[in-house]
Amino acid sequence: MTRNNYEDKTGKPYPARAGNPVWNLFKSVKLTVVLLLLLAATSVIGTLIPQNGTEPFYVEKYGEVLFKLLRVFDIFNMYNAWWFILLLLLLSINIIVCSIDKLGTTWKIIFPDKVSFHIEKFRRLKHKEEFESYLKPESLEVKYLSFIEKTFGMAVKENIDNGVAIFGEQGRWTRLGVYVVHLSILLMLAGAVIGGIWGFKAFVAIPEGQTVDSAFLRDSDTPVELGFKLRYNSFSVTFYDTGQPKEFKSSLTVIEADDKETITKDIVVNDPLRYKGLSFYQSTYGVDSAKSVIFKITNKKSGMTYTRKMEAGETIDIPESGGKFTLTEFVQGYNFQGHNLGEGFVGKLDEKKINETGKISGEGGEEKEIYIPVKYPTFDKMRGGEFFFEIQDYEKKYYTGLQVTKDPGVWYVYSGFIFMIIGCWITFFMSHQSICVEITRKAGKGCNVVVSGSANRNSQSMKLKISRIASKLKGIR
């Protein structure tokens, strides 16, 4: 039985060393498990409880008492909470200490003062191939030494009783694969901490054709300066047959301090504009105002209809000398007897009275406000005037709602994923392999050849490799 690093020459274990209790705590695998379980549990909570919502939403959903309790622990912004970042820092320290604690032993294996091989170790291995050759050992020695050196990158010869042993190895460095994985985890944790401390999420709504230079933190009136101006040029939306939005697109232009336009990009959902560490995602949209509207004006008595195109602030003469109408504004909603009638147009009507013979009987002068909704075309007919207005068509002017995010840790996370792939490939698909070709002289002519080898992982793969090497060595003449 071979002696391991924790036993003395007699095979008895070394007495345990107390060491630094803090160091022992952070190198503990139990601590790793506990921290991972805590992070998993809190992540589940963060998934079940909506994040970054409004206070009224939480009060209605959880009640006043539970809302205040959850707010104390910053559960509603959990991934930026101090205690969540502390868990990430503790896990990082734990990984660093565990890596350092094992690195000394691993380093000596990878970079030994002198590479040495023990023939007895290879003789005890179960993965081996044996064959006979009619050539002299001296002839095979030269050829096999060249082959092993070419295959493994290095070869060492050692004389043994009645023959020679040729050793080769490769992949000592692959033991560092686990440290590459550790590095990848540290990079991802660092990205999460950096993003949580120095990153932010904000929101801005921009009317079409206007420019902004700041956004507002979510659920807060705190402004965040962008460092440049952002202009919203235009908006387009396509719909499914059901009337649901299929795709909405906003055209944005970045304007620097010297009024120089640097980037113009059409953004859609999941295809943001990125500039100077900020990402602008298409979040929502809505009708902000109307550029123009086409009204259908109907005379209730005669049934005659007329169409007029108007813009806000414009005044027209009502047909048949019916008075004047001024379009005041477009509104998002209008309260009528406790009901919101939705989008529509507000105007001022100075309607002249017409008698039964169709002649004007008054000069008007009683200007009154009227509302013409989009959803209810005949609503104005209930007003009781000589004419009523309907919206035939109108040109909408949209606003775009943008989610603005800054995450300076995102490149650390991306780097971590790359190192994770590299580390896993090294750890699971590469190994430290060593081989021994033992050539012993036979009593008669020729010699006996034994090929054996080992690997620190993928033992079955090493078995197949030994078989292939033995087959090639057997064919060498």
Side-chain angles (χ1 to χ4, degrees), residues 25-40 42-43 83-99 181-190 192-193:
L25 172 65
F26 279 102
K27 77 175 186 179
S28 169
V29 177
K30 292 182 180 179
L31 178 63
T32 308
V33 174
V34 170
L35 290 173
L36 289 175
L37 289 175
L38 287 174
L39 286 169
T42 53
S43 297
W83 54 266
F84 188 82
I85 293 176
L86 178 62
L87 286 176
L88 297 181
L89 289 173
L90 289 175
L91 181 60
S92 300
I93 295 172
N94 176 235
I95 293 173
I96 292 171
V97 171
C98 285
S99 300
V181 174
H182 288 181
L183 175 62
S184 70
I185 296 172
L186 290 173
L187 285 171
M188 287 187 280
L189 292 175
V193 173

Side-chain angles (χ1 to χ4, degrees), residues 122-186:
F122 288 94
R123 287 172 177 171
R124 291 195 299 267
L125 295 176
K126 61 180 180 179
H127 296 327
K128 60 178 64 178
E129 295 282 337
E130 187 172 353
F131 61 90
E132 295 181 353
S133 176
Y134 65 87
L135 297 177
K136 295 181 179 181
E138 294 79 8
S139 176
L140 288 180
E141 175 186 329
V142 176
K143 296 176 180 180
Y144 285 5
L145 188 65
S146 175
F147 176 84
I148 296 299
E149 186 173 15
K150 182 178 179 181
T151 304
F152 285 83
M154 67 157 292
V156 177
K157 183 186 73 171
E158 185 177 305
N159 293 320
I160 58 175
D161 295 339
N162 201 31
V164 66
I166 301 172
F167 302 98
E169 70 170 353
Q170 64 180 6
R172 281 180 178 263
W173 63 272
T174 59
R175 295 177 182 269
L176 292 175
V178 66
Y179 294 95
V180 178
V181 174
H182 288 181
L183 175 62
S184 70
I185 296 172
L186 290 173

Side-chain angles (χ1 to χ4, degrees), residues 58-59 74 136 185 200 220 255 351 407 425 443 448-449:
Y58 290 124
V59 171
D74 211 3
K136 295 181 179 181
I185 296 172
F200 64 78
S220 170
I255 304 173
E351 189 176 28
D407 189 354
W425 180 267
N448 191 62
V449 180

Side-chain angles (χ1 to χ4, degrees), residues 31-93:
L31 178 63
T32 308
V33 174
V34 170
L35 290 173
L36 289 175
L37 289 175
L38 287 174
L39 286 169
T42 53
S43 297
V44 171
I45 294 172
T47 302
L48 296 177
I49 298 179
Q51 299 292 295
N52 301 307
T54 61
E55 182 173 331
F57 167 77
Y58 290 124
V59 171
E60 180 181 355
K61 187 174 180 66
Y62 300 109
E64 187 74 29
V65 177
L66 184 56
F67 164 73
K68 290 181 178 179
L69 178 63
L70 294 175
R71 187 172 61 178
V72 169
F73 294 99
D74 211 3
I75 297 297
F76 306 126
N77 188 24
M78 193 188 74
Y79 299 109
N80 292 326
W82 65 267
W83 54 266
F84 188 82
I85 293 176
L86 178 62
L87 286 176
L88 297 181
L89 289 173
L90 289 175
L91 181 60
S92 300
I93 295 172

Side-chain angles (χ1 to χ4, degrees), residues 179-476:
Y179 294 95
V180 178
V181 174
H182 288 181
L183 175 62
S184 70
I185 296 172
L186 290 173
L187 285 171
M188 287 187 280
L189 292 175
V193 173
I194 291 170
I197 296 175
W198 289 286
F200 64 78
K201 288 183 179 180
F203 184 84
V204 62
I206 315 175
E208 191 172 338
Q210 295 192 23
T211 302
V212 298
D213 58 5
S214 62
F216 293 91
L217 294 178
R218 276 199 175 276
D219 309 314
S220 170
D221 294 329
T222 306
V224 178
E225 297 296 326
L226 302 179
F228 51 86
K229 294 179 181 178
L230 187 69
R231 186 178 69 221
Y232 169 38
N233 302 314
S234 61
F235 181 85
S236 62
V237 59
T238 56
F239 297 91
Y240 291 104
D241 295 337
T242 59
Q244 294 294 322
K246 182 178 181 180
E247 179 184 75
F248 42 97
K249 181 191 304 180
S250 296
S251 173
L252 304 176
T253 297
V254 174
I255 304 173
E256 284 291 358
D258 55 357
D259 291 332
K260 181 180 178 181
E261 297 182 3
T262 56
I263 295 177
T264 297
K265 177 179 171 63
D266 292 338
I267 67 167
V268 295
V269 176
N270 296 327
D271 184 18
L273 166 65
R274 303 184 193 276
Y275 188 73
K276 289 188 173 180
L278 297 178
S279 298
F280 297 88
Y281 291 88
Q282 181 72 69
S283 177
T284 185
Y285 75 96
V287 178
D288 177 65
S289 60
K291 297 177 182 178
S292 62
V293 58
I294 299 176
F295 288 115
K296 183 170 76 170
I297 306 172
T298 304
N299 186 317
K300 291 182 180 178
K301 291 183 179 179
S302 66
M304 292 294 295
T305 61
Y306 309 87
T307 58
R308 296 290 186 271
K309 184 176 181 180
M310 298 185 67
E311 294 182 359
E314 184 179 351
T315 301
I316 62 169
D317 293 321
I318 299 175
E320 301 179 17
S321 301
K324 294 183 180 297
F325 174 71
T326 302
L327 180 62
T328 307
E329 62 179 332
F330 171 86
V331 293
Q332 299 289 345
Y334 189 86
N335 186 17
F336 176 74
Q337 297 181 358
H339 298 281
N340 185 1
L341 299 182
E343 298 174 353
F345 294 84
V346 178
K348 292 181 180 180
L349 178 64
D350 183 5
E351 189 176 28
K352 294 182 179 180
K353 296 181 181 179
I354 302 176
N355 59 27
E356 295 180 355
T357 62
K359 295 182 179 181
I360 298 172
S361 61
E363 293 299 323
E366 297 180 4
E367 191 176 70
K368 56 184 175 182
E369 183 180 272
I370 67 170
Y371 177 69
I372 308 162
V374 174
K375 290 184 179 180
Y376 309 101
T378 60
F379 176 78
D380 189 51
K381 191 174 184 179
M382 298 186 297
R383 179 172 45 81
E386 301 292 340
F387 293 85
F388 70 92
F389 291 74
E390 297 177 64
I391 298 172
Q392 196 170 60
D393 194 12
Y394 70 104
E395 188 178 358
K396 300 176 182 178
K397 196 173 183 180
Y398 290 92
Y399 74 86
T400 186
L402 304 176
Q403 178 177 294
V404 186
T405 62
K406 180 182 180 181
D407 189 354
V410 67
W411 290 109
Y412 291 87
V413 176
Y414 289 161
S415 301
F417 278 121
I418 293 173
F419 279 104
M420 176 68 77
I421 294 171
I422 295 172
C424 288
W425 180 267
I426 294 172
T427 301
F428 296 107
F429 296 99
M430 303 181 75
S431 60
H432 174 202
Q433 301 174 349
S434 56
I435 193 170
C436 173
V437 180
E438 186 177 357
I439 308 169
T440 54
R441 192 184 304 274
K442 292 175 63 177
K445 294 183 179 180
C447 58
N448 191 62
V449 180
V450 178
V451 182
S452 58
S454 65
N456 64 329
R457 63 178 66 91
N458 299 331
S459 175
Q460 190 62 29
S461 175
M462 188 60 189
K463 178 182 178 181
L464 296 174
K465 187 171 185 176
I466 292 169
S467 179
R468 290 196 300 269
I469 290 174
S471 178
K472 290 181 179 180
L473 290 176
K474 191 175 182 180
I476 293 176

